[in-house]
Amino acid sequence: MSTAPSTRSVATLDDVADAAGVHASTVSRALSRPGMVHADTLRRVRAAADRLGYVPNRAARQLAGGRTAAVAVIVPDVTNPFFAGIVQAVQRATADEPRLVLLADTAMSAGTEVDAVASLAGNVDGAVLCSPMAPVGRLREAARGRPLVLVNRRARDVSSVEVDQHAIVRLALDHLAALGHRRIGVMLGPTSYWSSSERSRCLDRLDLGASVEIVRIGTSRPTFDGGRACIDAVVDSEVTAVAAFNDVMALGLVAAASERGLRVPDDLSVVGSDGVSIGAMSLPALTTVAAPVSELGRLALRAVDEQLTGGSTSTSSASPDLVVRSSTAAPPARRSRG
């Protein structure tokens, strides 16, 4: 008969194996690679581990197999809800296995990105880098052989997961053109962002018809204040609608427009990008091109695991969706004719 360990001792792997009626190696496999264990066995092992309060010894696991059961997620701005959503999505994707998610915020600094990868490389199985700006060669050198996965950036011989940037542009501008806007502004993000460069290339080839003019509203920091700072350029351009680089920039522009006495969407329609939850809470609620954040997190973690098991690097693309809310409407001239 199995007996529980004394309350004065810490439960061990052997204790869990004894309680579950399996070999210790089965417990180790069930907790580190649950997909390799029969479902009934996995349930018994997890139930025993929970009952005994067993905590895996990560240091011992690393020494034994070179694995840390941890993954790093490195973001340029953790206050941006989109990046926070990626972190949460990766965390949820690890729910079925005992794995830590370590977070680093680089404050949109390429040098800090490299430093973060270098400092975390020895403590994680791989790293997910969101919208990285540093040269990929430096990032790979800093990783010291650990798997890297880039989110919203593509590079040779490095795994990447991206939202279709051309689809983002097309969905936003087709929506505004269909509403009747004929002079539309596009706020681009930093030139160091791959996604911003991709959207710029899309604009170079985009044809919305001779009656629609696209005005590029420079570049700015992809933040709320960056969006606010674009208000002068937007007003001077005399556009009736704007597609912003992301939702937080869009919300900054809406706030600045209100301070100028402009009503959204009566005087100016605004579309964001990313689909962060705060956009639905704003007044007016923000029309956006939403990214499938949960899918991005799942694909990124899978790309790390594929490399850990000897697989090659890969590129995955996810499709965004237009979410129409109350920040977009027909331009004033068309409404007055209606």
Side-chain angles (χ1 to χ4, degrees), residues 14-279:
D14 289 334
D15 293 328
V16 176
D18 187 33
V22 298
H23 194 275
S25 63
T26 302
V27 174
S28 178
R29 190 160 53 251
L31 297 179
S32 62
R33 305 297 293 175
M36 298 176 64
V37 177
H38 189 278
D40 289 340
T41 302
L42 181 60
R43 280 193 291 271
R44 294 206 316 273
V45 169
R46 286 179 170 170
D50 289 344
R51 186 168 64 254
L52 299 175
Y54 173 69
V55 178
N57 187 331
R58 297 180 187 277
R61 180 181 300 160
Q62 183 176 1
L63 288 173
R67 296 285 291 274
T68 67
V71 62
V73 182
I74 299 172
V75 302
D77 179 10
V78 75
T79 66
N80 184 323
F82 174 72
F83 297 122
I86 296 290
V87 176
Q88 185 181 60
V90 172
Q91 180 73 60
R92 287 177 175 172
T94 68
D96 291 334
E97 47 188 305
R99 208 171 199 179
L100 291 176
V101 176
L102 306 182
L103 171 64
D105 183 335
T106 69
M108 291 181 277
S109 164
T112 304
E113 280 177 2
V114 175
D115 291 342
V117 172
S119 64
L120 290 169
N123 301 299
V124 296
D125 292 329
V128 176
L129 287 88
C130 298
S131 299
M133 296 176 287
V136 172
R138 292 186 62 197
L139 293 173
R140 293 180 67 178
E141 181 181 354
R144 301 195 298 278
R146 295 291 187 182
L148 293 179
V149 178
L150 312 181
V151 176
N152 279 344
R153 181 174 174 183
R154 201 182 303 159
R156 185 188 301 274
D157 298 327
V158 181
S159 288
S160 65
V161 176
E162 63 192 59
V163 183
D164 187 335
Q165 301 298 312
H166 292 233
I168 291 173
V169 173
R170 189 86 213 194
L171 286 169
L173 296 185
D174 280 350
H175 169 63
L176 294 172
L179 288 173
H181 293 277
R182 295 295 175 257
R183 188 171 171 84
I184 303 171
V186 175
M187 292 165 56
L188 295 172
T191 56
S192 55
Y193 274 19
W194 172 86
S195 52
S196 184
S197 298
E198 281 295 297
R199 294 188 199 184
S200 183
R201 280 191 283 272
C202 179
L203 291 176
D204 292 339
R205 300 192 294 268
L206 192 63
D207 182 10
L208 294 174
S211 63
V212 178
E213 183 179 3
I214 302 300
V215 180
R216 302 188 194 213
I217 313 292
T219 61
S220 182
R221 287 177 67 83
T223 62
F224 184 85
D225 287 340
R228 288 173 59 91
C230 289
I231 186 62
D232 288 336
V234 169
V235 171
D236 292 344
S237 68
E238 298 182 342
V239 297
T240 60
V242 173
F245 178 69
N246 62 23
D247 285 342
V248 292
M249 287 187 77
L251 293 172
L253 178 64
V254 170
S258 177
E259 292 167 2
R260 290 289 187 91
L262 297 174
R263 298 166 298 170
V264 175
D266 294 346
D267 301 312
L268 180 71
S269 285
V270 178
V271 178
S273 171
D274 287 343
V276 302
S277 59
I278 194 172

